Amino acid sequence: MTRRQHLFGFALDALTMDETVMRCLDAVRRGERIEIGMVNAAKLVNMRRDPRLAEAVGGCDLVLADGQAVVWAGRVLGVRLPERVAGIDLFMRLLAAAESAAVPVYLLGAEQHVLEMMLDRVCERFPALRVAGSRNGYFEDADQEAIADAIADSGAHLLFLGMTSPKKEIFTAGYGKRTGAHVVHGVGGSFDILAGITKRAPLVWQRMGLEWFYRTLQEPRRLGRRYLTTNAAFLLMTVRELIHRTPSAGSANRSH
């Protein structure tokens, strides 16, 4: 049974990576559906500002801590999240599992040339993987229904969305069921990383929670201000929540 915790008013599933992979594979075996939502510091900030994004993520069957800062904030606030379940790591684990079990997958997202490069890398790494279909992530809202139907026709059981927020969450909320996929996982910029377009931070940076800074160094103009703003907002959210949860000395004395 999923262990749900609440952080900043949002429900998160306190699962390890291994437990998450098992849940996904069980869903495929049983013919059930799981929509996965991933949250990091920036997304939690944006969920506070964007009710549509908050509703889309909140409607997912599993909501996991993709960012190390989320795990740390949970510890500070007394919310137990066992570990970070990074979206790209879950993506790779599920691709490996799909290859072993002959489970067909569909890959939706990125620019066409990036998608093709990523597919080449995936085929090299997982030569027996059944790729039921793929499509770039540049389409109008009016195309979503037709895309969902194409995914359903492909027979894919695992659907990976390499798109940015809130586009992938909104697509999942509106059309995830229509795709017929048993597991729908939004993997954000993972397609770019697999394609070799962007580099992932070294493991030591990931463990220190500095993956965002590594990405900023690669794209300072595009990401610098965004990360600075959202990280400051997340820190403020955490401090405010800590103050709200900590009883004042006066109220503690009055209770005796």
Side-chain angles (χ1 to χ4, degrees):
M1 180 134 183
T2 302
R3 302 180 297 276
R4 284 229 142 173
Q5 301 280 359
H6 287 82
L7 186 65
F8 304 116
F10 302 113
L12 277 73
D13 293 283
L15 297 177
T16 64
M17 176 67 77
D18 288 343
E19 289 170 338
T20 303
V21 172
M22 287 179 60
R23 283 290 309 275
C24 292
L25 296 179
D26 284 345
V28 173
R29 281 193 288 266
R30 297 174 183 175
E32 299 173 351
R33 293 188 63 258
I34 289 181
E35 293 178 5
I36 300 174
M38 312 297 294
V39 296
N40 55 21
K43 189 177 290 184
L44 283 169
V45 169
N46 290 328
M47 285 165 64
R48 281 276 182 97
R49 300 168 177 171
D50 185 347
R52 192 179 180 193
L53 175 60
E55 182 179 1
V57 175
C60 291
D61 302 286
L62 291 180
V63 182
L64 305 165
D66 181 37
Q68 187 62 46
V70 177
V71 177
W72 287 342
R75 290 175 185 169
V76 169
L77 298 171
V79 177
R80 185 186 175 276
L81 299 171
E83 65 182 14
R84 177 192 182 199
V85 181
I88 186 170
D89 294 334
L90 178 59
F91 180 29
M92 301 306 289
R93 287 282 301 269
L94 290 177
L95 286 179
E99 180 186 36
S100 298
V103 174
V105 307
Y106 195 103
L107 299 147
L108 172 63
E111 297 180 23
Q112 185 62 35
H113 76 283
V114 174
L115 176 65
E116 291 170 3
M117 291 170 65
M118 187 270 295
L119 286 169
D120 288 341
R121 297 283 184 90
V122 166
C123 288
E124 290 174 5
R125 187 160 181 175
F126 307 103
L129 181 67
R130 293 176 56 191
V131 179
S134 63
R135 191 199 188 285
N136 68 62
Y138 288 79
F139 51 83
E140 302 297 327
D141 288 349
D143 299 325
Q144 293 185 102
E145 185 174 316
I147 291 170
D149 288 341
I151 295 168
D153 292 341
S154 78
H157 294 328
L158 301 180
L159 169 60
F160 300 102
L161 305 175
M163 300 185 292
T164 57
S165 296
K167 187 172 184 177
K168 66 176 181 287
E169 286 85 6
I170 291 171
F171 178 84
T172 299
Y175 297 94
K177 185 175 182 180
R178 192 180 182 107
T179 67
H182 296 304
V183 177
V184 181
H185 175 24
V187 299
S190 298
F191 286 12
D192 287 353
I193 294 174
L194 261 64
I197 302 298
T198 58
K199 292 182 180 180
R200 192 178 183 193
L203 189 59
V204 64
W205 290 56
Q206 296 175 39
R207 289 174 175 168
M208 292 172 64
L210 291 174
E211 204 161 0
W212 65 271
F213 185 58
Y214 190 86
R215 288 217 46 214
T216 301
L217 293 177
Q218 293 183 71
E219 299 181 79
R221 284 190 174 184
R222 188 174 76 87
L223 299 176
R225 184 172 181 178
R226 181 196 305 178
Y227 278 129
L228 182 63
T229 302
T230 54
N231 285 353
F234 184 75
L235 180 60
L236 184 59
M237 279 171 53
T238 304
V239 171
R240 285 176 172 169
E241 187 75 11
L242 183 61
I243 292 171
H244 176 73
R245 292 186 180 209
T246 305
S248 66
S251 58
N253 289 335
R254 285 194 297 269
S255 65
H256 291 290

